[in-house]
Amino acid sequence: MNVIIISIGDELLSGNTVNTNFSWIGQKLAGLGCSIIYQVTIADDKSSICEALDKIFLMSPDLIITTGGLGPTSDDITRKTIFDYLSINEKFDDSYWEILKNRFYEMGIKIGNSNRSQAMVPNQGIVIDNPIGSARGFHIDHKKSSIIILPGVPSEMKNMINDYVVAFINKQGVEKQYTSIIRTTGLSESTIFEMTGSIFHKNSNCVMGYYPSYAGVDIRMRGKSKKLINKVHFDIKNILNEKNIYSESDKNMEQIIVDLAIEKNKKIAIAESCTGGLIGHRITQISGSSKIFEGGFIVYNDHLKEKVLGVNKLTLEKYGAVSEEAAQEMAENILKNTGSDLGLSVTGIAGPGGGSPDKPVGTVYIGVASDDSVYVVKRIFKSDRKINKLKTSQLALNELRMKIIE
Amino acid sequence: MNVIIISIGDELLSGNTVNTNFSWIGQKLAGLGCSIIYQVTIADDKSSICEALDKIFLMSPDLIITTGGLGPTSDDITRKTIFDYLSINEKFDDSYWEILKNRFYEMGIKIGNSNRSQAMVPNQGIVIDNPIGSARGFHIDHKKSSIIILPGVPSEMKNMINDYVVAFINKQGVEKQYTSIIRTTGLSESTIFEMTGSIFHKNSNCVMGYYPSYAGVDIRMRGKSKKLINKVHFDIKNILNEKNIYSESDKNMEQIIVDLAIEKNKKIAIAESCTGGLIGHRITQISGSSKIFEGGFIVYNDHLKEKVLGVNKLTLEKYGAVSEEAAQEMAENILKNTGSDLGLSVTGIAGPGGGSPDKPVGTVYIGVASDDSVYVVKRIFKSDRKINKLKTSQLALNELRMKIIE
């Protein structure tokens, strides 16, 4: 089933609102086996809407979904414009107007005359109920396509997709798609592509994509055969190193860490320098992290490394705060200071200043300590300050992950 | 200047990636006086790209910007497809290939043959440099439009817009729009609208918008008269309280804090519980924060509040770790432990668990200590864990801001 989405709203084009409706609908419908083939964002403007409809009906999608422009104010023109475009007459729905008046009354709000437009209904098609808002939706068949018109308020739109659109799509007998994901870190997109590309060439019924971000590269697979998707997943897993695969579901690194640490009953503490608290922040995004996360020190200024964390003054003088030696002592001392099972340390130069020929901007050392061992890894990142911080946090959490499962 | 944006990528259509690139470009270009008239999202697919270009060149926009599909893998087909569409020949850029090889070598990564595609350049137009990534951009004139082709990696795309596209647009002599912003925190959108709405009704040549987020409500003003925009800005500022206005530019709270602390020569340290490191992370996002940020403690587990921060055991037993008393001691002790000028503390219940009738989920206490005073504020937030953390960090930083300027 081919689907096109029309997002209507000046606030989207001006960038003042991020179009999360579109990605939500995309994920929802892709999960039902639909292909979203095209999406447009247009202004709250009659000619923009009509021109977009001209183009899109020519593409003959099975389904068109519009969001936005069904509110009560004067810039909400979607309903009237589309009905005119389709030569549909509308009438005032007295019984819905009574319902609306009651709802507003119960909320203690006086209903405005501007809301009367929301009681208009077409003389054909289906009216889609909106139990949590005043703007109802519409489902109209035109040429070879169905057009479903929904409000832009995310909670209302999602409700109507879940309650109405999902059932409509399922009734069309769309063939189910199976999906799978392998989340990797520490390898570049091109390296992964070279390692795994041949698998995809051999399995053309498996649609794949590589999605890089600071966190690493996600490999997504999709196809109609569950067996094939499982096989491709298995083949890719066999080629890549366990160290590079941190997740085989949509779970992110911090969720994986918290799950593993709970399972293995390991208490964690961290000493962060250049990441400034980001690693602690990421871990504490996860509900239940308090079971395994003790806390830590943000030793941003060197004198705190010595004063509160007890890193040897001579170490800092001889090797510097950004050094293998400092990272090792930081990891060991965070363990001692907090009585945790695992200590993670990070020291580095996020940039843009602070680099030297010896230790350029982006140089980071990660230390991992437990009762019986400690080790340090070094890496040089080449991005800007914020991305260097993110990449450093991901590398550090991945080292911690490997330590937990060792 | 009319602009159309083409977002290219299967991951956008499937909803796996939210198109924040588009909203970022929209805001940036609207601020330069451009009108974003249309945006489409299409697949990494030759015919989709060509069909979109057919339609969009018919609309004769001044500028077309594409993002995405310039990576090294086989699904990255934007460059080749657009060059073919425009009948442009390309050649291999040996000197750029040397640069790329060196960059990868310095990062300790072996460059793949697939990256060779990123060294291809057109025989016309302009190549746009990408100092932080491997995919360069292209600027080509065709019919009445300019088309600018950029990578989809947000940091790289933004860099290239800031370094190249802004200058190009400014050179076109777009009629300047004057903009102004007042960033507020601690007031709801409807409260701000009731307080300031009449100002906008009186000044119809000033386009305004209220943009709520966890950080507060931004009030944006835009118009062709600099004098009018300044007047409206001044009128709004007079109505709102200094405590609620944290920024009169695009600078965010953390930048404001760092600027103020440098100006007033105040060293800052923090003790975070429920925010888990987020406040330290936010401050250290800012270059130069090391001048004023000492670091702090993440005392997530209660025994660390006592053990490393020295909060009195009796305080924790009698009042609990989430209490005015604990917040006060945390702020005082972080000052003592680090020797800073200002100590900030946060303790609270982010949720979803941990609440009680007395202290529901979302209850937070913020402590602010200096050599001569300490005070605590309490607030109850009603969102989910992640938003509660964000709102708490914003409230805490705003209290710190007020202390710095007092």
Side-chain angles (χ1 to χ4, degrees), chain A residues 39 41 276 280 284 296 298 301 389, chain B residues 39 41 276 280 284 294 296 298 389:
Chain A
Q39 179 262 351
T41 310
T284 58
I298 305 174
N301 188 311
K389 279 179 70 183
Chain B
Q39 179 262 351
T41 310
T284 58
E294 301 277 36
I298 304 174
K389 279 179 71 183

Side-chain angles (χ1 to χ4, degrees), chain A residues 306-379:
Chain A
E306 192 190 329
K307 187 173 175 183
V308 307
L309 195 52
V311 176
N312 198 313
K313 195 175 178 175
L314 290 176
T315 305
L316 296 172
E317 279 172 5
K318 190 165 170 193
Y319 303 104
V322 178
S323 65
E324 192 182 318
E325 292 77 5
Q328 180 180 327
E329 276 191 48
M330 285 169 66
E332 287 168 338
N333 290 6
I334 189 77
L335 210 63
K336 273 187 236 158
N337 277 298
T338 61
S340 303
D341 302 306
L342 297 173
L344 179 67
S345 72
V346 177
T347 180
I349 304 157
S356 68
D358 225 32
K359 289 172 188 165
V361 165
T363 303
V364 299
Y365 293 89
I366 313 284
V368 183
S370 62
D371 273 349
D372 56 2
S373 78
V374 60
Y375 70 91
V376 174
V377 297
K378 179 191 176 181
R379 190 75 160 262

Side-chain angles (χ1 to χ4, degrees), chain B residues 357-372:
Chain B
D358 225 32
K359 288 172 188 166
V361 164
T363 304
V364 298
Y365 293 88
I366 313 284
V368 183
S370 61
D371 273 350
D372 56 3

